[in-house]
Amino acid sequence: MIDIEFNDDRAKGFVSNQDIETLQERVDRLHDGLENKMGLGNEHLGWLHLPSSTPSSLIDSIITTQKEIRDKCDAFVCIGIGGSYMGARAAISFLSPFFKQSSNPDIYFAGHTMCSDYYSDLFRTLEDKEVCVNVISKSGTTLEVAIAFRLLRSFMEKKYGKEESRKRIIVTTGPEKNPLNSLSNEEGYKLYVIPEDIGGRFSVLTTAGLLPIAISGVDLNNLMDGALLAESALTKTSDLGQNLAYRYAVNRHCLYQKGKMIELMTTFNCSFRFVLEWWKQLSGESEGKEGKGIFPASVQYPEGLHSLGQSVQEGARNLFETFLLLEKSSKAIKIPSDSDDLDGLNYLQGKELDFVNEKAYKGSAAAHLEGGVPSLTLILKERSAYSLGQLFYFLERVVAMTGYLSNVNPFDQPGVDQKKKKIFILLNKPDQRKED
Ligand code: PA5
C-alpha cells in the first residue's frame, strides 16, 4: 500500500461513477501501451521503471560525492532550469527545515533567472564561503544555464584558481555530445550522466535531482525506496479502483472535458511550496500541447484564501481544485490557553494547528463546491523522503496517463523548444538559421 490517499467525493456531482467506469477499458489499453512501449513518446519512458533499474552503485557514487563536497564546502550552487532544477528544489524545500539547523551546505540556485541583481547578491554572499558548483543541463545548450555557468566558472576561477575550481565543479548532462560535456571533458570536471530516454521534467530521480538532493542531507535510499514502492503498486494494475494515480488522471480528464480547464493545486502545508511548482511544470509541459491540456496553477492556503480565494469562490467557473495535504505534521503545535482570553481564542485552546488546518481545508472545499468548484484530494502520509519518493513517481504516472487520455505525447515539449530557438535567433546565435 502506498502512502498516498486519493479522494474524489467532491467531484462526484461533475464526474459520475459511470464516466469513470466507461474509461476503464481505454485506461487498460493505454497502460499496456505504456508498459510495452507502444504509446506516444515511447522513446522517453526511462522514468517508468527508473526506481527498479537504478543500480545501487550509482546511489553509492552520489553519496560518496556528497561526502566529499560536504567536507570541502558550506555553499553548494546548483545551476539549472525547468526539469533540471525544479525536482531538486521541490525535494530540498519539502524535506529541509524551514530555518537552517543542520551542518549541510547551504544550497543556492542559479540558472533559473537572468536577473542581474540576483547574481550580484549571490556572488557577494559566496565571497566568504567555501563553494562547490553543480551545473545540470541535459541538452547542455540551455541559454540561461550556460550563461549562469559561465558566470559561476569565472567567479570560481577568480576565487580558487583554475586547478582548484576543477575539483569543485560537477557537471550533470545528457550522454549525447553537447557543449557542456565537451567543456567538461576539456576541463576534467566530474561528470554525471542523465539518461537519454528521460526528459527533464521526469528526471528528478536521476543524477539531475539526486546529487543536489543528497547534498541537502536527504537519505537517497529512502527516497528511492519510496519511488520503488509506488512503481510496483502502479505498474501492477490499471484497475481504477486500485490504481489511484490513474483514478486521479481519469478525474482530471473528465473534469477537463466538462469545461474545467484549470487545475488549481492547493495546499495547507507550506513545505509543499516547490512541490507545487514542480507539479505545474510536469503537468504543463506534458499535457499543454496541440491546443489542448489542463492549465495547471497553484496557490498556497491559507494565504491564498485571502487573495485568490475570492476568485475561486465566485469567479469564472472553469476550474477545479486539487488539495495536496499532509496527513500529519512532523511536530504538533498546540494553541496555548490564556486566562484573560482578550483575543477570544480560548475556544481553540489546546487544539493543534493541524486541527485548524483540517477544518480550514474542509470548510474551503465545501464552500468552493457550493460555488461550483469541484475538488480532488491527495493526502501524503508524512513529510519524509520515503513518502516524497512515492509522490514524485505517483504524479509522473498521473500526467503520463492524462496526456495519453487526451491523445498527446506527454514526453515531448515542442513549445519550449520553439521558444528556445526564437530567443537564440534574437540574440544572433551563430548556428541559428532565421526562418522568418
Ligand atoms: O522538462 C523539460 O524538458 C524542460 O523543462 C527542460 O528540463 C529545461 O528546458 C532545461 O533543459 P536542459 O536540461 O536541457 O537544460
Side-chain angles (χ1 to χ4, degrees):
M1 265 266 284
I2 58 172
D3 287 351
I4 302 166
E5 269 175 46
F6 172 72
N7 187 309
D8 52 12
D9 287 350
R10 289 192 202 87
K12 292 255 186 273
F14 297 78
V15 179
S16 66
N17 282 340
Q18 203 195 337
D19 290 332
I20 291 177
E21 280 155 22
T22 309
L23 282 167
Q24 179 67 68
E25 226 177 276
R26 214 170 141 218
V27 167
D28 292 343
R29 261 185 286 120
L30 293 171
H31 176 73
D32 289 346
L34 201 58
E35 288 299 326
N36 298 316
K37 299 199 170 186
M38 306 286 279
L40 289 166
N42 56 45
E43 67 282 19
H44 286 122
L45 290 181
W47 61 273
L48 196 62
H49 294 294
L50 180 70
S52 58
S53 60
T54 300
S56 55
S57 56
L58 177 65
I59 303 294
D60 294 345
S61 145
I62 294 174
I63 292 173
T64 306
T65 306
Q66 171 246 336
K67 287 184 182 141
E68 288 163 10
I69 288 173
R70 279 183 59 160
D71 287 347
K72 70 170 147 229
C73 85
D74 50 17
F76 184 74
V77 185
C78 195
I79 309 175
I81 198 167
S84 289
Y85 139 82
M86 305 197 79
R89 187 154 202 184
I92 293 165
S93 96
F94 182 70
L95 296 168
S96 303
F98 289 99
F99 309 101
K100 181 155 171 75
Q101 283 165 13
S102 69
S103 57
N104 297 312
D106 286 330
I107 308 229
Y108 298 87
F109 293 96
H112 61 303
T113 174
M114 276 292 98
C115 175
S116 281
D117 292 350
Y118 181 88
Y119 287 99
S120 77
D121 281 4
L122 178 64
F123 293 133
R124 209 178 8 240
T125 305
L126 296 178
E127 241 158 46
D128 307 326
K129 297 189 186 281
E130 290 300 336
V131 186
C132 285
V133 171
N134 180 203
V135 56
I136 308 155
S137 172
K138 185 178 171 204
S139 64
T141 56
T142 301
L143 178 70
E144 298 86 341
V145 175
I147 292 176
F149 186 37
R150 187 180 273 211
L151 292 173
L152 261 304
R153 241 172 28 247
S154 152
F155 169 86
M156 293 293 279
E157 288 172 8
K158 271 191 208 126
K159 186 174 166 83
Y160 294 109
K162 241 181 179 307
E163 201 160 315
E164 177 61 20
S165 296
R166 285 192 185 110
K167 297 183 195 148
R168 291 173 173 265
I169 293 177
I170 299 163
V171 169
T172 308
T173 188
E176 292 202 344
K177 188 168 163 39
N178 69 49
L180 188 55
N181 50 31
S182 301
L183 171 67
S184 177
N185 291 337
E186 193 64 35
E187 294 289 346
Y189 299 140
K190 189 175 181 72
L191 184 79
Y192 278 109
V193 178
I194 304 170
E196 187 50 37
D197 59 355
I198 303 183
R201 58 195 174 277
F202 289 84
S203 70
V204 56
L205 300 173
T206 70
T207 51
L210 292 180
L211 178 60
I213 293 171
I215 302 287
S216 76
V218 171
D219 185 327
L220 291 190
N221 287 308
N222 286 344
L223 186 75
M224 293 306 280
D225 283 351
L228 184 62
L229 179 76
E231 177 195 323
S232 131
L234 301 174
T235 302
K236 203 161 56 196
T237 175
S238 51
D239 185 315
L240 293 170
Q242 293 175 58
N243 187 319
L244 299 182
Y246 289 170
R247 193 172 178 97
Y248 174 27
V250 162
N251 268 282
R252 296 176 80 228
H253 177 73
C254 292
L255 287 164
Y256 176 74
Q257 297 284 319
K258 289 170 196 248
K260 304 295 181 189
M261 321 286 274
I262 300 171
E263 176 176 19
L264 188 62
M265 194 175 268
T266 67
T267 185
F268 281 87
N269 191 297
C270 51
S271 52
F272 277 124
R273 176 172 169 208
F274 284 99
V275 176
L276 298 188
E277 296 301 317
W278 171 82
W279 160 248
K280 280 191 291 196
Q281 197 238 352
L282 180 67
S283 161
E285 271 192 19
S286 302
E287 300 163 38
K289 47 195 71 154
E290 298 174 28
K292 301 184 259 196
I294 293 169
F295 184 87
S298 70
V299 61
Q300 282 186 85
Y301 290 159
E303 220 181 311
L305 291 174
H306 299 262
S307 62
L308 291 187
Q310 171 60 36
S311 182
V312 175
Q313 189 66 43
E314 295 185 332
R317 301 299 73 190
N318 57 356
L319 56 90
F320 68 97
E321 273 176 308
T322 297
F323 291 93
L324 177 59
L325 306 175
L326 260 192
E327 193 180 309
K328 203 169 177 303
S329 291
S330 314
K331 292 237 161 60
I333 299 236
K334 285 189 178 168
I335 298 172
S337 61
D338 181 337
S339 52
D340 296 332
D341 196 26
L342 292 178
D343 54 11
L345 272 181
N346 270 359
Y347 72 103
L348 288 176
Q349 69 186 13
K351 297 278 189 252
E352 293 181 2
L353 293 189
D354 276 1
F355 169 84
V356 180
N357 247 347
E358 197 203 335
K359 301 296 171 206
Y361 148 60
K362 288 190 171 154
S364 317
H368 294 169
L369 182 59
E370 269 172 37
V373 178
S375 63
L376 307 168
T377 301
L378 292 168
I379 304 178
L380 191 67
K381 192 166 172 208
E382 58 189 18
R383 191 173 159 217
S384 69
Y386 187 62
S387 288
L388 183 66
Q390 297 176 52
L391 184 67
F392 277 145
Y393 187 87
F394 180 94
L395 292 174
E396 288 175 352
R397 277 271 178 179
V398 171
V399 295
M401 181 51 74
T402 316
Y404 273 6
L405 284 166
S406 4
N407 292 321
V408 298
N409 175 357
F411 310 115
D412 65 2
Q413 54 286 326
V416 175
D417 298 338
Q418 195 181 347
K419 177 216 62 208
K420 282 185 180 178
K421 197 162 182 199
K422 287 269 184 233
I423 296 174
F424 279 138
I425 290 172
L426 289 172
L427 289 170
N428 284 324
K429 189 177 182 209
D431 58 354
Q432 296 296 310
R433 201 164 50 86
K434 279 203 174 114
E435 282 168 351
D436 48 2

